[in-house]
Amino acid sequence: MQKKIQTIFKEKFGKEGTLYASAGRINLIGEHTDYNGGFVFPGAIDKEIMAEIAPNGTETVRVFSIDINEYVEFGLNEEDAPSQQWARYIFGICREIIKRGGKVHGFDAVFAGNVPLGAGLSSSAALESCFAFALNDLFNGNTIDKFDLARIGQSTEHNYCGVNCGIMDQFASVFGKKDNLMRLDCRSMEFEYFPFKADGYQLVLLDSKVKHALVDSPYNKRRQSCERVAKLLGVKTLRDATMEMLNEHRSDMTAEDYFRAKYVIAEKQRVLDVCDALVKGDLETVGKKMYETHEGLSKDYEVSCVELDYLNDIAKECGVTGSRIMGGGFGGCTINLVRNNLYDKFIETAKRKFAEKYGHEPVVIPVVISDGAHKVEA
Ligand code: ADP
Ligand code: MG
């Protein structure tokens, strides 16, 4: 990928630039916890976006996307927004830096990536943080704080791409560190690295390729349940609620709200338990917690679907250490923690059984926890 980018950059712009990269991410555990002030536990992966970039001395940005095979030019003023979706991510990063008082001038860029699109690995955050990191280095002497780089990516999604996302994806992509997961406290925004050296294990995603289109936004309904219960319990978010408080007030709420809150409160604790287990090198407990999360997402939070439950069942039957839905639910991937000696059998079984039932194989995406945004030595 690097060679190809360099060749094409030279061909198009007749010079050399600087190489930057940033990564997609997984989230090991901590789902639907962000908007409840809880914890998430993501890490950057070995699937990335790489760009070669050089200032061009003008106020025009010229970018070529290798994967989409498209060239776009745009100015840096608000009215210059390009219409191509992929270019809007880059335009948005430029604008958000400028809005915050940072500097951006014209540049030439060529980029490519291998983060699967729309598979729940956040290729968009990889793209955003690659450019945010690069423009911080090229035009701002790295004076923009790393958290702000993540916020610049998040605001790009909000203001230029119509996606009202949280901060986790961009955070993971910016702060990601090889062999480390990061526990982010979504209430205080403090975070901590936890070494994740899964010797003897492999992390693998199975993309069901299923996306259920849903009537009336179930996401907003989940949020509303959480907010109602928090209010009833007299806390700001469910982060501050305990299972005892919830059970004490069980008769004051609907059964549905009760189970939604029960999942969130349990999930908060599971993230902490997983971190403790990791510190002890106890990956079997990590896996057990992943299954509990799946169960909670499926039965209490009700954001699973038959295809993901089936992939989870197959994992269990094969003796896989841990497996759960990754992401918001209603389709997408499962994330699986698999002992090396079971890996081949699990993948073969999952492909075969899933295809027998649903007519197509899940897409297998092995991942390794890697560095997030960084400069690449040419
Ligand atoms: P994801 O869940 O992977 O983040 P999104 O729909 O949020 O899915 O983002 C995918 C979009 O990001 C693509 O439609 C494209 O505009 C942009 N993108 C991601 N990777 C690339 C790439 N390698 N080349 C060009 N654009 C990309
Ligand atoms: Mg995205």
Side-chain angles (χ1 to χ4, degrees), residues 232-289:
L232 185 76
L233 301 182
V235 290
K236 195 157 169 251
T237 63
L238 289 180
R239 163 66 178 274
D240 301 311
T242 62
M243 217 50 111
E244 291 71 42
M245 289 161 76
L246 181 69
N247 286 327
E248 222 168 88
H249 287 84
R250 185 167 184 170
S251 57
D252 304 330
M253 62 187 87
T254 63
E256 186 177 287
D257 281 0
Y258 172 79
F259 284 107
R260 303 297 189 246
K262 174 173 168 258
Y263 163 77
V264 171
I265 295 169
E267 182 72 353
K268 171 184 66 181
Q269 189 56 42
R270 274 191 290 268
V271 180
L272 299 175
D273 293 346
V274 159
C275 291
D276 288 347
L278 265 188
V279 169
K280 292 183 194 135
D282 177 6
L283 284 148
E284 293 302 314
T285 296
V286 171
K288 200 168 138 254
K289 296 290 160 188

Side-chain angles (χ1 to χ4, degrees), residues 49 65 67-68 85-86 89 111-113 116-120 122-124 127:
I49 297 273
S65 160
D67 302 323
I68 299 183
Q85 180 60 33
W86 65 267
Y89 288 102
F111 76 101
L117 304 190
S122 212
S123 65
S124 62
L127 177 56

Side-chain angles (χ1 to χ4, degrees), residues 12-123:
K12 297 230 172 263
F13 300 116
K15 57 183 174 185
E16 274 170 25
T18 310
L19 283 163
Y20 298 91
S22 192
R25 61 102 193 90
I26 53 102
N27 183 34
L28 191 67
I29 197 161
E31 213 65 76
H32 287 280
T33 46
D34 53 348
Y35 53 84
N36 288 299
F39 302 100
V40 291
F41 198 39
I45 55 173
D46 58 337
K47 311 281 180 283
E48 61 182 13
I49 297 273
M50 190 182 284
E52 182 165 356
I53 308 182
N56 61 21
T58 73
E59 294 302 309
T60 301
V61 174
R62 311 191 290 176
V63 197
F64 180 69
S65 160
I66 294 179
D67 302 323
I68 299 183
N69 191 25
E70 211 168 27
Y71 173 81
V72 169
E73 279 190 22
F74 57 81
L76 290 164
N77 297 311
E78 200 60 41
E79 62 272 18
D80 297 327
S83 56
Q84 293 82 350
Q85 180 60 33
W86 65 267
R88 291 181 69 84
Y89 288 102
I90 300 166
F91 178 77
I93 293 296
C94 297
R95 287 300 311 162
E96 291 296 334
I97 291 177
I98 293 167
K99 278 186 213 168
R100 286 166 172 77
K103 285 198 221 71
V104 181
H105 299 290
F107 58 87
D108 298 332
V110 170
F111 76 101
N114 58 10
V115 189
L117 304 190
L121 298 179
S122 212
S123 65

Side-chain angles (χ1 to χ4, degrees), residues 150-172:
R151 288 196 190 93
I152 283 163
Q154 184 192 21
S155 304
T156 294
E157 299 258 2
H158 293 178
N159 300 331
Y160 297 92
C161 307
V163 181
N164 196 16
C165 60
I167 192 74
M168 175 176 77
D169 299 352
Q170 290 77 13
F171 161 80

